[in-house]
Each structure stands twice: as C-alpha cells, then as structure tokens.
Amino acid sequence: MRRWADHLASSLRAKREYLEDRKVMSKEMIVVEGGTPLSGEVEISGAKNSALKLVAASILGQGESIIHNVPLISDISVMSKVLEHLGASVTREGHTLVIDTEDVDTWKTPYELVSKMRASIAVLGPLLARFGRARVAMPGGCNLGARKIDMHMAGLEALGVHFETVHGDIEATTPNGLHGAYIALDFPSVGATENTMMAAVTAEGETVIENAAREPEIVDLADMLNAMGARVFGAGSSTITVEGVTLSSLHPCEHTTVGDRIEAGTFLMGGALMGGPVVARGIDPSFLRMALMKFGAMGCAVDIGDDWISVGRTRPLRAVEIQTLPHPGFPTDLQAQFMLLAAVAEGSSVITENVFENRFMFAAEIVRMGANVTIEDHHAVVEGVSRLQGTGVKATDLRCGAALVLAGVFAEGATQVHNIHHIDRGYEDYVGKLAALGARLRREPDDEFEE
C-alpha cells in the first residue's frame, strides 16, 4: 500500500509540474521586426532527437550515467520527469545530465507526461530489456499525422513481446522472455529501430534488424549502448545486428551527445535567406550532405570544416526540387525551412513530402505572409515572391515555428509568432541565438495562445 501511495504521489507531482511548465510557456509569443541581415557564428546544441533516446537508454545502465552536450529544451525536461517517476535521480549541471537509474523500480510511465511527447515511447525498449514488461501511454508531440507505432510493436513482437491495451495504455509483457530474431522493418523508422535495438540488447541470442534507420542519432545511441556493455554492430547502415547480453553485464557510462543537424540546418537557412554568412559550429557536415547540396543548388556559397558549416549568399535564390526521405535523403525536419527559402526564390519550386502527411501545415501560415504555395496531395508547388509581410501566425509544430520566426526576419514589418511552446520543445534559446546573429526579436506575453 505504501509503495502504491508513493507512486500515486509521484504521478500527481509529475502532472502538477507539467501543467505549471505549460502554463508558463503558454504566456509568451515571439515578436520579430523584419528586414535585418543575419551573419556571424552560432554554437549548435546537442541533438534533441538523440539526447531524448540517450536519457531513456540510461535505464539499462542500472547506475549513474553521465550524458554531456544535452540541450536545454522542454522535451528533455519532460523526459527527465518520466525517468524520475520511474525512480531515477536526474540532475542537470549546465549541459550535462547525471542520471542514476539504480533505484528504478517500476515499469509504468505517467500518462500526463508520456501522452504529450512522442519521444517518450523510447522508454518502452529499455523497460522491456530491464524488467521484461512495460506500460506506456500512446505517445503525443507535434501534430504531424498518424505516426503510428505499429512498426515498434511488430519489431518487439518478433523478440517475444506480447501487447495488450489496458485502460488506454499499452501494456507489454514477455511471457517467455526476450529472444533474438530476424526483423525486417516495412519502413526505416527511427523510433522503431531505436526501440527494437534497445530491447534486443538483453534478448537471448542474435537480433538482425533489416531496413533499419540510418540517421546519425541511431549511431549515437548505439555508441552509448556499447559503452554500457551492449554489443550492437552496423549502426548507420541498413542492417543492424545486436548480440544479446545479460542484464547484469550492463553498466553506467559517460557519453557526449552529437550536434543537432536540424538546429544547424535551421540557422544555416537563415544565412541563405538573409545573405549571411552564418557559421554553425559543433556539427559534423556529413550529417547534412543532402541539405548542403540543396543550398548549393539554390545559389548559396557553402563551406565546411571538421565541425563547422558556413552558408551565405550574394546572388538571388534559385528554385529547387526537394523530396523528403529517410536519412541520408533530405530530412523532413528541414522541409518547412526550405519551403520558406523556396517561397522567396526566383521561379517555381516543387517540394514532395514522403514522411509525414501533415508537414504542409506550415504552408497555410506562410501564405498569410504573402507566399504563393499550392498543395496538391503530398506535393507543394511554391512560386517565388519578392517579399513577405509581417503578420500574426501560429506555430503548428516544432519546425513550423522555427521557420515562421525566420520568415519574420525576412518580412516587412512586425511578425507575431504564437504557440511558441512548440519551438521551446526543440530549440535551446532560439531567440537569443538569432539575436546574436543580428535579428531583432523578443519574447512577449501572449493572450492568443491555443493548444
């Protein structure tokens, strides 16, 4: 009874803290005064899409792991609270998280947190690997379409996991333990690859994941798992092999998160948009090969070093054709930013979205500013215009919000970007970093916030 009461108190505390966080975020908008050039250097934070999974993976360490280069964003705060609910201790020291998971003693996650952030489904794999069971709410996050977790479940079922729906939650059990398997994913899903890979770490025998996601964040996760004693091979290729080890052979580790390629691409797009040059430091240029090719195709000057990229422009932007695809193809997380670039380029651009069906919600907002965009199924035809006008717009997701702020930098007059809690989910000090590059913008109280 006492243990149940402790977990109830923890769940209520998590809900209260989450609502307080949302209350604070809901009060602000970003106001941008347009027409200022952007140039200079920006330090890129650790990758959001990697750090969230690294935090979840620390469950397997069963002790105090240290993760460096963790961005100061709201999604990390939510994931930290998920782990604290499970019994972990999470301490932040600047950009370093110290996570002690020795006392994690439950496999149930709080609905109030998990249902609001899609990445929280990443605890499913490590909980199964550690306890042989898990209960999680259906994941939330940006409204980008169905984003079903069917492939997560299919991969885990091949490892011996049984799923049931219990009061709206997903309950996973392993009646006969986890065992290695051959798994071929229908699509190279990042989340399905991560969850399957983490669960397979303690599965008996060998697991082979075919058509695995190849993103740099997958490699980063595999590197941390191996530092904890796992045996993961082939990360970064389409075939990942996991040789199962015993739970007792896993241990805590110290790891540094890779740079955020999407944050880097967003700021570099600012250099392309306003002339620049903008230099992004702390990023491996190989993470953005396709995006850099598109910058060049649009008439930008691109320079690279070991851990930096520079993008600038001295001539008009040219139209471009883009198709979003899993890595190493063009990233869907940069599609909105490049739609903005195409909106002010000379000629007609065509952007095809092959990953998330609702990524084009950005188009309706940029049209309010004077862009000429026509949506046809999963294609966007963008006719370039010479100017945009500032107005009130609403972020519909994380990347849409970041792109709208940059649209405000380009536009004539003032732009008010509402619902900026989306931006806070994935960009550390976005306003401060843009201001350091020359943008005129500020956060202000917002009475028009909408969920």
Side-chain angles (χ1 to χ4, degrees):
M1 178 66 72
R2 181 181 180 85
R3 183 167 177 168
W4 179 86
D6 288 343
H7 285 309
L8 176 60
S10 176
S11 180
L12 291 173
R13 183 168 60 253
K15 181 176 183 179
R16 184 169 57 252
E17 290 173 349
Y18 174 78
L19 291 174
E20 284 301 312
D21 287 345
R22 297 291 287 184
K23 185 177 180 181
V24 170
M25 287 188 289
S26 70
K27 292 181 178 180
E28 292 187 320
M29 63 179 171
I30 295 176
V31 179
V32 191
E33 301 292 339
T36 58
L38 296 181
S39 64
E41 297 189 359
V42 59
E43 192 68 29
I44 299 305
S45 302
K48 162 191 175 286
N49 289 334
S50 187
L52 288 167
K53 317 308 170 54
L54 300 178
V55 171
S58 69
I59 292 170
L60 293 170
Q62 307 165 90
E64 186 177 279
S65 290
I66 301 172
I67 308 176
H68 301 291
N69 200 28
V70 179
L72 286 157
I73 55 176
S74 62
D75 268 12
I76 293 292
S77 297
V78 173
M79 184 64 90
S80 296
K81 289 173 183 176
V82 170
L83 261 69
E84 288 173 340
H85 172 86
L86 295 173
S89 167
V90 183
T91 305
R92 179 182 278 278
E93 301 171 1
H95 289 95
T96 295
L97 284 186
V98 179
I99 309 173
D100 190 342
T101 60
E102 182 177 4
D103 293 331
V104 168
D105 60 355
T106 181
W107 39 270
K108 301 177 182 179
T109 57
Y111 169 81
E112 293 77 18
L113 298 175
V114 178
S115 63
K116 299 298 182 181
M117 187 181 70
R118 180 171 180 79
S120 55
I121 196 69
V123 300
L124 182 59
L127 286 175
L128 285 166
R130 180 161 173 177
F131 296 106
R133 65 189 309 174
R135 180 185 285 187
V136 297
M138 287 295 290
C142 287
N143 181 21
L144 298 175
R147 305 224 292 183
K148 296 178 181 179
I149 63 169
D150 297 8
M151 279 185 287
H152 297 243
M153 298 172 73
L156 294 171
E157 284 175 339
L159 298 177
V161 180
H162 174 71
F163 289 98
E164 289 185 7
T165 301
V166 180
H167 301 296
D169 292 343
I170 301 169
E171 182 157 325
T173 56
T174 53
N176 300 306
L178 291 167
H179 54 76
Y182 173 84
I183 300 163
L185 297 177
D186 291 339
F187 178 85
S189 160
V190 173
T193 300
E194 291 165 337
N195 254 327
T196 305
M197 187 166 66
M198 286 190 281
V201 163
T202 63
E204 183 179 354
E206 181 180 271
T207 297
V208 177
I209 308 171
E210 291 282 10
N211 199 26
R214 300 165 59 186
E215 274 74 0
E217 295 80 14
I218 297 289
V219 178
D220 201 25
L221 175 59
D223 287 345
M224 178 168 167
L225 291 173
N226 287 336
M228 296 191 330
R231 294 180 58 80
V232 181
F233 307 94
S237 75
S238 59
T239 303
I240 296 176
T241 302
V242 184
E243 295 178 1
V245 301
T246 61
L247 181 63
S248 61
S249 66
L250 297 176
H251 52 78
C253 74
E254 187 167 357
H255 182 81
T256 300
T257 313
V258 297
D260 194 318
R261 61 196 172 100
I262 305 303
E263 183 193 21
T266 301
F267 283 110
L268 293 172
M269 201 280 291
L273 183 70
M274 302 305 296
V278 168
V279 179
R281 295 198 177 274
I283 184 67
D284 185 337
S286 69
F287 292 178
L288 284 167
R289 284 197 183 103
M290 185 60 70
L292 298 184
M293 288 174 59
K294 294 302 180 181
F295 278 129
M298 297 188 79
C300 299
V302 179
D303 292 309
I304 62 173
D306 290 341
D307 65 347
W308 60 267
I309 306 169
S310 173
V311 172
R313 176 174 60 87
T314 58
R315 52 186 177 179
L317 288 163
R318 297 194 293 261
V320 70
E321 289 193 13
I322 289 173
Q323 290 198 41
T324 66
L325 290 167
H327 190 80
F330 189 91
T332 182
D333 280 350
L334 286 177
Q335 183 255 96
Q337 297 90 315
F338 270 78
M339 181 181 288
L340 167 59
L341 212 54
V344 296
E346 294 182 346
S348 177
S349 298
V350 179
I351 300 175
T352 302
E353 176 56 59
N354 296 307
V355 181
F356 293 132
E357 65 266 34
N358 285 355
R359 276 287 191 200
F360 284 151
M361 290 190 295
F362 168 74
E365 297 302 312
I366 196 70
V367 164
R368 287 175 47 78
M369 301 179 73
N372 184 352
V373 183
T374 303
I375 305 299
E376 300 174 359
D377 194 23
H378 65 294
H379 305 284
V381 179
V382 187
E383 300 288 345
V385 298
S386 60
R387 64 177 188 167
L388 298 175
Q389 296 182 331
T391 187
V393 290
K394 293 180 180 178
T396 56
D397 61 71
L398 169 59
R399 308 307 173 183
C400 167
L404 287 172
V405 173
L406 285 169
V409 173
F410 180 88
E412 299 173 352
T415 298
Q416 304 84 35
V417 182
H418 303 279
N419 291 11
I420 65 170
H421 64 280
H422 288 298
I423 300 173
D424 292 335
R425 288 187 48 237
Y427 289 89
E428 177 180 333
D429 191 21
Y430 193 50
V431 167
K433 289 184 177 182
L434 279 174
L437 295 175
R440 291 185 298 173
L441 73 173
R442 62 192 180 274
R443 297 175 74 115
E444 285 190 359
D446 184 8
D447 296 326
E448 297 183 28
F449 173 82
E450 292 181 7
E451 286 282 0

